[in-house]
Amino acid sequence: MAEKYLSVTALTKYIKRKFEVDPHLGRVYLTGEISNFRPRPNAHQYFSLKDDKAKIGAVMFKGAYQKLKFQPKEGMKVLVVGRVSVYEASGNYQITIEHMEPDGVGALYQALAELREKLEREGLFSLPKKELTRYPKRVAVVTSPSGAVIRDIMTTVKRRYPIAQLVLFPTLVQGDKAAQNICDNLDRIEEMGNFDTVIVARGGGSIEDLWPFNEENVARKIVSMSLPVISSVGHETDTTIADLVADVRAATPTAAAELAVPVLSDELLKIKEKENRLVKSYVYQLERQKQRFTRTQESFVFKQPERLYEGFSVKLDMLVRRFQQEGLAIVSGKKEHMIEVINKLYLQNPSRKVEQASQQLTHNQSQLEQAMKAYMKQKEIDLGRQIQSLDILSPLKTMSRGYTYVTTPDKLLTSVTNLQQDEVVTLHFSDGEADVAVNEIRSKTNESEEK
C-alpha cells in the first residue's frame, strides 16, 4: 500500500520535468514590474516580477545581468525573455531571465539616459574646454578607413589647408569591439605626442550603430586627452556622449575639418595685409626719425655747444659757495662744541676731586676720633655703674656686715641638720677663716616642738 505514496522530492522532480519538456515554458516572453530588487555586485540577481494580480520569482545569472545596458530599479516595468522552471529546494516555480529591457523605452535609450545623468553629476560635461590649435601641423583622425567620412575630411583639409598633415588611425566605429578600439587609438595618439588636434568621426546611423560613442570608457578617455578633441558623430540631429565631452562638436565631418584647420589663402591674405601694415608703419617711423634728426641738427647744442654748459657752470659756482659757507659754519660749530667740552673737562679735573676727597677724609677722621672718645667715655660710665651694681650684690659686701658661711672640707653647710656633734667646721669671714668644734646642735624645729 505504501508503494502508492511519492516522496516530496520525487513529486518535485516530476513537476520540474513537466516544466522543462513543455515547449511553451522553454522560452517565455513576459512583461511585469520589478519587485524586491536588491542589487548584488558581480553576482546572480534574485527578484520578482509582478502585475496587479500575480507575482513570480525571477533569477538572472551574472553573465546575462552584466550584458544589460541599463540599471534595473525597483518598480520599473520591463520586458523579459526567459524559461520557466521549478526550484527543487523550495518547490517554487520561477523564471530564469536571459534578456531584459525596459518596457515602452528601448534599452539603449534607457542606458544612454542613465549614463548621461551619471556623467553630468560627475561634472564631465561642464569641464573647461581646451582651445583648438589655430595653425595645426599634424591632425589625427580616428574613424573608419573606408567610407565618406575620411574622404570628406581629406578633401576639406586639402582644399583649406594643404600644408597640414592628416594621419588616419583606422578604427572600428560599429560593433561590440568598437569602443575599446577607439580608446586604444586615442591612447596611441596620446603616446606619440606629436599631434595638434584630434578628430573623432563617423557617419550617421541608428542608435545601435552609434552606440560605441555612447560608451562610458570612450567618454572618459576623450576627457583625459591632453590634446583638443573635435567630435563629429552621426548627423546634426544625433547627439552622442562623445559629442558632449569633446572640446568642440561638429555637425558633420566636413564641419569638423573646417574647425580643425584654417583657410590657407585667407591666412596668406592676412599675412600680406599685416606685411603691408608693417611696411607702412616702418616707413612712418623712419620719416619721424628723420624729422627728429633734422631738428636735432639745427639745435643750438650743435651750433653753440658752449651754451649747453652755461647753466651747469652757474650751478657749480653756486654749489661751491654754498659748500664753503656751510663748511665754515660747521667748523665754527665744532669749535664752540670743543670749548664747551674743555670747560666740562676742567670742572671734572681729577686733582680737584682728590683735594676735596682728602679734605673730606681729614674731616671724617676728626669726627671718628671724637666719636670714639665719646663712646669710650660713655662705656667707662656704664662700667662704673655695673661695678657698683655688682658690688652691692657681692657676698663679700654682705659678710662685711657680720655674716659668715660654714663649710666642711668637702661641702658647704646650709642647715644644722648637716652638722654633727664635735665636728670641726670652718667659719668664713670677710677678712679670714676660723676652724671651730660643734659642742651642741640646736634646731629651731625642735625648739618649736618643745614649746
Side-chain angles (χ1 to χ4, degrees):
M1 194 69 177
E3 296 176 353
K4 296 182 179 181
Y5 292 89
L6 295 174
S7 65
V8 176
T9 301
L11 178 61
T12 304
K13 285 184 177 293
Y14 177 78
I15 296 174
K16 180 179 181 182
R17 177 63 180 165
K18 285 289 188 181
F19 274 76
E20 289 177 349
V21 298
D22 190 327
H24 298 291
L25 301 179
R27 189 168 184 82
V28 176
Y29 295 83
L30 193 64
T31 178
E33 181 180 309
I34 295 176
S35 176
N36 299 323
F37 182 73
R38 302 290 185 273
R40 303 171 67 236
N42 197 27
H44 305 320
Q45 306 297 320
Y46 301 93
F47 52 95
S48 301
L49 294 176
K50 69 175 184 177
D51 56 20
D52 294 339
K53 298 181 180 180
K55 181 170 68 173
I56 183 175
V59 59
M60 193 169 191
F61 294 119
K62 180 173 65 174
Y65 182 73
Q66 290 178 341
K67 293 180 181 179
L68 292 180
K69 298 185 180 298
F70 71 101
Q71 177 61 48
K73 296 179 181 179
E74 183 75 13
M76 179 183 290
K77 292 192 66 177
V78 292
L79 302 173
V80 301
V81 179
R83 53 186 173 82
V84 179
S85 62
V86 175
Y87 182 56
E88 295 182 52
S90 63
N92 295 329
Y93 83 100
Q94 62 185 14
I95 181 170
T96 301
I97 298 175
E98 299 171 355
H99 176 75
M100 180 167 61
E101 64 181 43
D103 187 9
V105 180
L108 292 179
Y109 285 105
Q110 179 70 23
L112 177 60
E114 291 180 357
L115 182 58
R116 286 183 63 170
E117 181 181 353
K118 175 183 176 182
L119 298 181
E120 188 170 7
R121 285 197 307 268
E122 294 183 17
L124 264 65
F125 299 156
S126 58
L127 291 174
K129 303 299 184 181
K130 294 180 284 292
E131 293 186 2
L132 298 177
T133 303
R134 187 169 184 179
Y135 304 110
K137 295 180 180 179
R138 301 189 69 194
V139 178
V141 182
V142 178
T143 189
S144 172
S146 61
V149 172
I150 185 61
R151 290 196 299 272
D152 290 345
I153 293 175
M154 292 174 61
T155 302
T156 303
V157 172
K158 185 176 181 180
R159 171 175 53 82
R160 289 171 59 89
Y161 202 69
I163 61 175
Q165 181 184 5
L166 281 179
V167 180
L168 172 65
F169 287 81
T171 306
L172 296 174
V173 294
Q174 184 174 336
D176 295 337
K177 298 181 179 180
Q180 187 59 47
N181 191 218
I182 294 170
C183 293
D184 292 341
N185 281 334
L186 291 176
D187 284 333
R188 288 177 56 198
I189 294 170
E190 191 79 7
E191 290 174 3
M192 293 175 69
N194 56 354
F195 292 97
D196 300 305
T197 307
V198 180
I199 298 176
V200 178
R202 74 146 286 156
S206 65
I207 186 172
E208 291 85 358
D209 296 337
L210 301 179
W211 189 254
F213 297 90
N214 289 319
E215 293 284 1
E216 183 175 356
N217 58 341
V218 173
R220 295 191 182 279
K221 186 60 200 175
I222 291 175
V223 170
S224 67
M225 293 289 289
S226 62
L227 301 173
V229 178
I230 302 174
S231 175
S232 175
V233 179
H235 298 297
E236 186 173 358
T237 56
D238 298 322
T239 302
T240 63
I241 291 180
D243 295 330
L244 297 176
V245 297
D247 298 295
V248 178
R249 178 181 182 259
T252 63
T254 300
E258 291 175 349
L259 291 171
V261 296
V263 179
L264 181 59
S265 58
D266 292 345
E267 298 303 319
L268 292 175
L269 181 60
K270 291 178 183 178
I271 293 174
K272 188 64 178 177
E273 291 176 354
K274 290 183 179 180
E275 181 183 2
N276 293 335
R277 289 178 59 188
L278 181 61
V279 171
K280 290 180 179 179
S281 176
Y282 177 76
V283 171
Y284 174 74
Q285 291 294 334
L286 183 61
E287 185 64 27
R288 286 191 61 190
Q289 294 300 327
K290 285 182 178 179
Q291 294 174 0
R292 184 179 178 184
F293 178 71
T294 302
R295 287 196 302 269
T296 303
Q297 282 183 323
E298 294 175 355
S299 173
F300 70 89
V301 174
F302 295 98
K303 294 184 176 181
Q304 296 177 341
E306 65 277 3
R307 293 178 56 186
L308 182 64
Y309 303 101
E310 288 178 353
F312 293 102
S313 178
V314 172
K315 187 175 181 179
L316 177 61
D317 291 339
M318 293 176 62
L319 290 175
V320 169
R321 289 196 297 269
R322 183 179 175 185
F323 174 74
Q324 293 174 349
Q325 293 173 358
E326 291 183 356
L328 293 175
I330 292 173
V331 171
S332 177
K334 294 296 183 182
K335 285 182 178 181
E336 292 177 358
H337 180 68
M338 183 180 67
I339 293 172
E340 183 180 353
V341 170
I342 291 173
N343 293 333
K344 288 182 179 179
L345 288 174
Y346 178 77
L347 295 175
Q348 300 295 329
N349 193 337
S351 60
R352 297 186 60 190
K353 286 188 176 182
V354 170
E355 183 180 352
Q356 292 175 358
S358 177
Q359 294 175 359
Q360 184 66 34
L361 177 62
T362 303
H363 177 70
N364 291 341
Q365 286 179 343
S366 175
Q367 287 186 340
L368 180 60
E369 289 176 358
Q370 293 177 5
M372 287 295 293
K373 289 178 180 179
Y375 178 77
M376 292 301 293
K377 186 175 182 179
Q378 183 62 40
K379 290 300 180 183
E380 287 177 358
I381 294 172
D382 293 342
L383 179 61
R385 292 175 182 173
Q386 294 294 334
I387 291 173
Q388 289 178 3
S389 299
L390 289 173
D391 186 54
I392 293 172
L393 298 175
S394 174
L396 295 177
K397 193 74 172 177
T398 304
M399 291 173 67
S400 66
R401 295 199 297 271
Y403 293 94
T404 64
Y405 64 92
V406 183
T407 65
T408 62
D410 57 350
K411 62 182 178 179
L412 175 67
L413 300 178
T414 59
S415 176
V416 296
T417 59
N418 295 328
L419 295 175
Q420 296 180 5
Q421 188 73 30
D422 298 329
E423 182 181 11
V424 177
V425 296
T426 303
L427 296 177
H428 296 269
F429 296 92
S430 61
D431 55 352
E433 299 175 351
D435 293 330
V436 297
V438 178
N439 295 325
E440 181 182 1
I441 301 172
R442 293 186 297 274
S443 173
K444 291 183 180 181
T445 305
N446 292 336
E447 291 178 357
S448 298
E449 289 176 355
E450 290 176 359
K451 291 180 180 180

